[in-house]
Amino acid sequence: MDEPRVAPTEDHGSRRARFPLGASVTEEDLSGPRAHEVLAALRRTEPVTWSPALGRWLVTSHTLAATALRDADTFTVDDPRFSTALVVGPSMLSLDGAEHLRHRTPFVGPLRSAGNSDRVVRWAEGAAARLIDGFHQRGRAELRTELAGPLAVSVIIEVLGLSAPRAGSSIEEQVLAWYRDIAAGVLAVDRGRPVPRPAALAVEALRQQVGCALDAGTADDAARMITTISGSGSLSSDEFFSNVAVVLFGAIETGEAMIANALYHLLSHPDQLTRVVTDPSLLDRAIDESLRLEPAAAVVDRYATVDTTLGPPGAEIPIAAGEPVTLSLAGANRDPDRFDHPDRFDLDRRNTGAHLSFARGPHACIGSHLARLETRVAISAALNRLSSLALDEAATTAPSGLIFRKPASLVVRWSTPRRATPS
Ligand code: HEM
């Protein structure tokens, strides 16, 4: 979250007076256990509010968030303050209009195909089985860090074709280390600091890894997404790299959170879990309902390109050109104007898919098919391989977080076969 480039049209005192609830909300309120309560209160009385804690406008209504997502001419990502671009370079995530399309288009088809590919399903099933085999005998595990996270990172590495051999640590460990340094770099830039050295080094190391993977080539080149896309020639090598980086990093924390949240919701609703086990065709609905309740990426940021307004008819709020706007997908997804009994995890909900968890409009997530694939694989593997799987409620926490929402701890138990006792 960064500081507004343009001074608010009103002084901060009068904004606080106009948006008293927004003024009282802290970052902790929006990320902690009360987040949905706080978002609901904002949506009721100040669906577009000024948040001094974030230094941004905050939108919690479904209709208004969807309107802003679709209107990139008015609410853009293309702004010099966009911190990811300052760290990894301009990419589809930080551009709008024709340039955005030029950066995004080469990746759309290949990622969609990967998300519908039987080969990727089989690969992910193998990876999930190996992870579970690693802890099966224990009868207890923390599934976010032991299953969801490692599966999400290994699937995207495999799909991109990034796994050229490296000495020392595994490619997964390397990528996670780079991700941590780059994410910390993005945060530092958000807070007005220069790009930290570890982030710059991580970007360079990843650039080399992409180069090695391209050079390595294999008999299975057709399956290597980066080889196919770089061969299409529509992006310069810097542009290609920046977009590979956002695809790679776009999949890691979100993928982990999506899988962990779906497991959390199913395991904390045993009645609905039983229905999914009995009728696996309900699994996709369960995944969508979990996405609605806890979008892995809870907010997206935009900048007003012109003086504009946003708000329900008759109560439009003026927003000045250059002001930053945060769209709360978590708030929009529980809007009672869009979803009946929005706080319920309900497999029978007819319009579950109307959630905004993969955004809408020109920046709608291009990894959604792949993310669904890996979530289906992870849940099926856990349910099929871990008999009588149950949440350890005392050791598990509900999803939380301001930008990414996931359980800090998702501890489960299952029954293990008795070991043969030596005679
Ligand atoms: C395989 C996993 C994933 C990949 C490869 C991926 C990749 C991407 C990419 C490259 C974009 C930028 C698209 C653009 O700007 O044109 C994007 C956008 C987005 N993704 Fe994903 N993503 C993945 C998983 C997820 C998950 C699990 C979620 C949340 C549940 C998610 C939520 C979003 C959202 C909200 C946006 C819009 C960002 C914005 O408008 O500023 N993604 N994704």
Side-chain angles (χ1 to χ4, degrees), residues 103-238:
H103 282 245
R104 173 178 164 109
T105 304
F107 290 84
V108 173
L111 270 171
R112 179 183 281 257
S113 302
N116 292 318
S117 154
D118 291 340
R119 182 190 75 80
V120 177
V121 170
R122 284 194 301 277
W123 193 92
E125 283 172 348
R130 282 190 296 281
L131 287 164
I132 292 177
D133 287 349
F135 55 68
H136 186 274
Q137 205 50 45
R138 263 193 267 143
R140 186 175 196 269
E142 199 285 291
L143 288 187
R144 180 175 65 78
T145 52
E146 295 192 68
L147 176 63
L151 186 65
V153 72
S154 62
V155 166
I156 193 66
I157 288 170
E158 164 65 17
V159 162
L160 284 170
L162 260 187
S163 52
R166 270 185 81 87
S169 55
S170 74
I171 177 72
E172 283 83 4
E173 285 165 6
Q174 264 303 329
V175 164
L176 284 175
W178 293 331
Y179 175 75
R180 279 192 288 272
D181 286 343
I182 291 173
V186 170
L187 203 66
V189 172
D190 258 347
R191 297 190 169 149
R193 296 202 288 274
V195 178
R197 192 167 152 70
L201 290 175
V203 168
E204 271 328 297
L206 175 61
R207 193 188 300 276
Q208 276 181 26
Q209 179 71 22
V210 172
C212 289
L214 284 174
D215 292 344
T218 67
D220 200 11
D221 256 1
R224 296 165 69 86
M225 190 181 294
I226 56 167
T227 313
T228 316
I229 297 173
S230 83
S232 70
S234 51
L235 299 173
S236 72
S237 59
D238 279 350

Side-chain angles (χ1 to χ4, degrees), residues 92-93 100 104 247 250-251 254 258 291 296 302 357-358 363 365 367:
M92 67 180 109
L93 206 55
H100 169 248
R104 173 178 164 109
V247 169
T254 53
M258 178 170 165
L291 276 171
R302 298 291 187 263
S357 301
F358 289 123
H363 291 276
C365 180

